[in-house]
Amino acid sequence: MSNHKQISETIAQRLNRIVESETIAMAKLGRALAAEGKPIINLSFGEPDFRTPDHIKQAAIDAINQNFTYYTPVAGIPDLKEAVKLKFKRDNNLEYNTDQIVVSTGAKNSIMNTVLALVNPGDEVIIPQPYWVSYSDMVNLAEGVCVFINTSIDEHYKITPQQLEEAITPKTKLFMFSSPNNPSGMIYNESELKAFAEVFERHPHVYILSDEIYEHINFNEKHYSIANYGTLINRTITVNGVSKAFSMTGWRIGYIGAPKEIAFACEKLQSQFTSGTNSIAQKAAIAALLGVMQPTYDMRTAFHSRRDLCYNLLKDVEGIKLLNPDGAFYLFPDISHFIGKSYKNYTIHNSQDLCMYILNEFYVVTVAGSAFGNDHCIRLSYATNEDNLTIAINRIKEALSLLK
Ligand SMILES: Cc1ncc(COP(=O)(O)O)c(C=O)c1O
């Protein structure tokens, strides 16, 4: 795969510190096979397969018709920042002023800004595994040092306050996590977040990046934000966006609520990198944040029923260990049982081998757990319709049953 190629002398050294996003690389491979006419089903996508709701699209059409097509203030238009402020208060009980809010080109851009704004070369960044695919590369790009905390399916992919405390050193600058989590789908509940907050109160030099992009795709209890506890609002960067909640991945709007100094640093970076995000998409994001939430709730209901379908299809497969996720739209089965097994000319040494076998022989695109820091698992996205999911999972079952 392109990921581990040595980069030529033409390309700057810093590019050697990162790899192409594995989820994007797998989707590319899937598209190439589909173009050859193979009956590909793609379970690699990290995006809802629903339409952006009409009232949001209409706001963008209106923006174009009103010639709202010029550069905007770098950190976002005032009415969008006001909408984000309201949203933080309404949904998360967080009081961020508009000068603490920066709107960016997707949550990915928000996270990269934050990492570049905070992390000096050699600074340690604590990341629980499994983590969203880009976290480690972003830290590497900033020349930070990733300090991973391992978890496994037996701990429900959750870290404990003790593990967190043990990972903190005088060099720790940042702790980054997502809840609901991509790829595991697990969610930290209120008491777990409070326990982390108690640890952070003892270590006031550590900043916290709380990635809450899957906030609304949550099947059980209410969503909680870590910035609510103790004094953490003063050093938490709360990241969110419209991609997952409103099926707006292509619109590229993310945002942060952060201490003023950090928000200003992100704005400064953005003033040189992007000049702020798309004017039309910003108007659409206002409609999303302030408009009716029913389309989001309907989407969540659909994800819930797909989660049940996929979980039930996979849970009894011999050799698979599986959790029933609380949120997001992924399953993260443990496939350790199949390591060392073979079929035809395939021998499975790791999660990547298993994904390539399933792709090449059974035409289902999945993503190796190694991309998320856990080589015992693979990630399946259920952001596709139930017929596709049923066919794809049955193909995966057949693939696994042939491995001896
Ligand atoms: C955990 C997590 N954070 C952030 C993002 C980035 O979202 P956006 O589309 O807003 O850049 C994703 C997208 O897959 C994600 O899974």
Side-chain angles (χ1 to χ4, degrees), residues 219 302-312 324-326 382:
F219 310 130
F303 279 132
H304 197 162
S305 108
R306 291 171 184 182
R307 191 275 313 257
D308 290 345
L309 171 79
C310 297
Y311 178 74
N312 288 326
N324 202 5
D326 299 316
Y382 47 87

Side-chain angles (χ1 to χ4, degrees), residues 23 45-47 104-111 131-135 138 177-183 209 211-214 239-244 248-255 328-330 372 379:
T23 47
F45 286 135
E47 64 180 351
S104 300
T105 308
K108 190 177 243 182
N109 187 201
S110 303
I111 300 169
Y131 51 82
W132 181 47
V133 68
S134 296
Y135 290 171
M138 288 175 175
F177 77 117
S178 68
S179 174
N181 180 269
N182 174 8
L209 186 154
D211 178 350
E212 303 182 15
I213 192 90
Y214 291 97
V239 178
N240 213 320
V242 297
S243 288
K244 318 286 174 173
M248 291 178 70
T249 46
W251 299 76
R252 310 309 301 128
I253 297 281
Y255 53 85
F329 39 76
Y330 310 102
F372 309 92
R379 190 191 76 172

Side-chain angles (χ1 to χ4, degrees), residues 135-169:
Y135 290 171
S136 54
D137 283 293
M138 288 175 175
V139 172
N140 291 338
L141 197 61
E143 297 183 64
V145 177
C146 295
V147 175
F148 298 112
I149 306 180
N150 275 314
T151 68
S152 74
I153 193 161
D154 301 326
E155 296 106 33
H156 283 213
Y157 300 115
K158 288 185 180 188
I159 63 163
T160 62
Q162 289 81 348
Q163 284 176 303
L164 173 61
E165 187 131 40
E166 280 162 22
I168 296 174
T169 75

Side-chain angles (χ1 to χ4, degrees), residues 98-114:
T98 48
D99 59 1
Q100 296 181 280
I101 289 164
V102 180
V103 177
S104 300
T105 308
K108 190 177 243 182
N109 187 201
S110 303
I111 300 169
M112 188 73 245
N113 282 343
T114 304

